[in-house]
Amino acid sequence: MDFELNDELKMFHRAVRDFCEKELKPHAHIAHETGELNWDAIKKMPSLGLTGLQVSEAFGGVEMDTLGAAIAVEEIGRVCGSTALTISAHNGLGCGPIMAWGTDAQKEKWLPMLTSGDTLGALALTEPQAGSDLLNGAQTKAVRDGDEWVINGTKAWITNVAWSPVLTVLLRTDAESGSRGFSMMLVETDREGFTIHPPEKKMGLNASKSHMLTFDNVRVPVSNILGDEGNGFYQTMQTLDNGRISIGALSVGLAQGAYEEMVKYAMDRTAFGEPIAKKQLIQEKIANAAMEIEAARTLIYKAAWMKDKGKKFTKIASIAKLKASLVAEKVCYDAVQVHGSAGYSRDYAVERMYRDQRLMQIGEGTNEIQYLVIARNVLKEFESGTFTML
Amino acid sequence: MHIVTFTRSTPDTAAKVEVDGNGAVSWGDAATVVNPWDEYSLEEAIRQATNVKGDTTVIAVGGDLHNDSLKHSLAMGVKNAVRVNADGLDMTDSLQWASLAAAAVNNIDDCQLVIFGKEHVDVGSDQVTYQTARKLGWTMLSYVSEILELDAEGGTIKVEKTVEQGKQILTAKLPVVISVLKGINEPRYPSFIGIRKASKATIPEWTPADLGIELPASSITHDAYNNPPPRDITSEIIEGETIEEKAAQLVDKLLEEKVL
């Protein structure tokens, strides 16, 4: 066992912290109020690798491992949830599938553009009537017509699409084949028949935009298929496993940011003649936050490590995301509580963090789905007698 | 041309620094940072070297604490880093510091320009910049707010200096030592590729023997340290009907306390 980050990751961690403190933290409040991301900061991200965390160097990325990518997302989440979700989705959902399953031509065409800091990547899975149950519910379909696929349907809650030149879409290409009846396709966002509807009005993460999309006889060439025809559902499941580590890391970042605000406020605010940090009921919240964040971060790091080692990581990714999202809620709740009425004011960062954390139990699989995934894997382990092993 | 710049690791400005009765300075477990003024000199060295297609070296004087700043400099894009250290070096003795700094500069081929940040934030002083220039026997241009032209072939540098009454533009023959102000540039962040390279780099250490000098004996002895007595602060909130009334009361109090 070795809990020490290597020198490269230590330096990276520090550089990202520094970047976030200077470039993102001062804008986080503005992002919350106006719904605008700080694009000046995003354009500075490529050299630090934040727009191509796991993309090869040849295509403008830095080829980090999952642990490094998780650390980056956590650090951004610590100061600005909106930017963190944008960057997490861009890397994991936007660049991830193209990097994993793209042909050389697809990678060369899209990845340099996506890692440039001028555009962002996106993935379209969810539909108005299908989120957790894509297998039975997803209706958006592509029908082969000569050298083209013709796409019709509606996708919902698609993050980053407003800034994407291209997005990966999960499509039903064969209605009869169940889980083998899906394919992933690249769709350029300037195709005829493709419409991006106004952004959703959300509870938080105000500057991260999610849109409903409609496809009305959108035609793409057969060369736009991403990976093998019929593999789309399995590609989706793999992408979500990876995404869970990232959303978990973002949850830890939100918790960490709220925790720091909470402790500082408690040391500063006096009541009954002393800082409230000296009151045992406040200390219980501080100690709990310290303990829970430590636990959540360790789980995220372990999930990332297992993925990087090539081990099965579906169960640990679900465990880590579930735990981290619950910790984010609890710590942000307590941070608001410690702030008293100030915590209920938009003038304090914890109000924003409390709103931002709420998505963590919904995105990349709701927590109810995480319980399902974990239990299904545990039962499988017991049935096969491997439950005592890591 | 070879451009040399200096850096050092200083306690984070947010860290609580304490000096004990023997003059020992400590800041607990707080991290060190690159001397904030050096961000600008490092950036300027990289930019000027790019313009003249020259080489860059960053030097730190002192113990291995300073390797973090040297690695940060490499990650920003400075090409070489070296640390100069000597047994018995007193970091508060600026003449010893400058002697090592000048000897290290002399050990680098074709160095025509040395760039310092305006000051060292930990000691709150910039005298090593002047002393290093004096030891080298070079021209010193302090408080440079812009390098207008670095002419490698002509052997001159034209700079804008900030002086009390405004700006001064002047040209000097190389070699020169300059110190630069905040605002001369926008320092870049380390790049990931730079970090990857810097994290694997081994920083060479030069001793006075390597540089062909002897560390001058310190001519200063510290006889006593007297920390300021802890301040007894009381706060008062001024009450009043109107802003004007409160302001008048505030001014009266400030006059009474001889603040104004």
Side-chain angles (χ1 to χ4, degrees), chain A residues 178-227:
Chain A
S179 67
R180 285 266 157 219
F182 289 92
S183 305
M184 276 189 172
M185 263 176 232
L186 292 168
V187 179
E188 295 86 347
T189 51
D190 57 0
R191 291 262 170 206
E192 208 182 322
F194 177 73
T195 307
I196 301 175
H197 296 276
E200 299 295 343
K201 302 184 201 86
K202 299 185 296 184
M203 178 191 282
L205 297 163
N206 295 346
S208 160
K209 301 293 181 199
S210 304
H211 298 257
M212 189 182 284
L213 312 173
T214 45
F215 300 78
D216 180 13
N217 287 316
V218 175
R219 289 177 169 269
V220 298
V222 289
S223 59
N224 274 26
I225 200 151
L226 187 68

Side-chain angles (χ1 to χ4, degrees), chain B residues 24-183:
Chain B
V25 181
S26 60
W27 53 85
D29 292 330
T32 59
V33 297
V34 173
N35 173 39
W37 296 93
D38 294 345
E39 302 263 356
Y40 303 91
S41 43
L42 288 162
E43 175 67 33
E44 201 57 28
I46 296 166
R47 289 188 189 193
Q48 295 301 327
T50 307
N51 289 345
V52 300
K53 299 187 173 57
D55 205 355
T56 43
T57 294
V58 55
I59 302 173
V61 177
D64 58 11
L65 160 80
H66 301 286
N67 280 0
D68 281 351
S69 291
L70 291 170
K71 291 205 165 191
H72 178 88
S73 310
L74 291 174
M76 277 178 76
V78 176
K79 288 187 191 142
N80 317 285
V82 61
R83 191 163 53 80
V84 188
N85 201 10
D87 291 337
L89 168 65
D90 176 358
M91 286 292 278
T92 63
D93 186 323
S94 59
L95 189 60
Q96 282 193 339
W97 197 102
S99 300
L100 289 174
V105 171
N106 280 328
N107 200 40
I108 292 168
D109 285 342
D110 194 30
C111 176
Q112 301 282 318
L113 176 62
V114 170
I115 307 180
F116 279 102
K118 179 177 157 274
E119 64 180 59
H120 291 163
V121 77
D122 50 351
V123 289
S125 165
D126 64 350
Q127 63 190 7
V128 293
T129 59
Y130 308 101
Q131 284 178 305
T132 303
R134 183 79 182 91
K135 278 277 167 192
L136 286 164
W138 295 7
T139 303
M140 173 78 216
L141 303 173
S142 58
Y143 295 7
V144 169
S145 45
E146 191 178 354
I147 295 179
L148 298 166
E149 191 186 16
L150 175 60
D151 182 352
E153 282 179 19
T156 58
I157 186 168
K158 187 177 180 182
V159 303
E160 178 190 83
K161 262 167 66 82
T162 297
V163 290
E164 272 185 30
Q165 303 300 327
K167 307 274 189 191
Q168 221 177 35
I169 293 185
L170 44 90
T171 302
K173 278 188 190 158
L174 298 173
V176 300
V177 175
I178 68 172
S179 69
V180 299
L181 298 176
K182 270 183 192 171

Side-chain angles (χ1 to χ4, degrees), chain A residues 8-34:
Chain A
E8 180 180 300
L9 268 184
K10 268 192 230 167
M11 277 187 84
F12 176 69
H13 194 178
R14 202 167 162 172
V16 176
R17 167 72 58 98
D18 193 34
F19 178 88
C20 291
E21 284 286 325
K22 287 187 189 147
E23 303 285 337
L24 299 176
K25 195 175 183 179
H27 186 87
H29 177 68
I30 303 168
H32 184 48
E33 291 294 322
T34 65

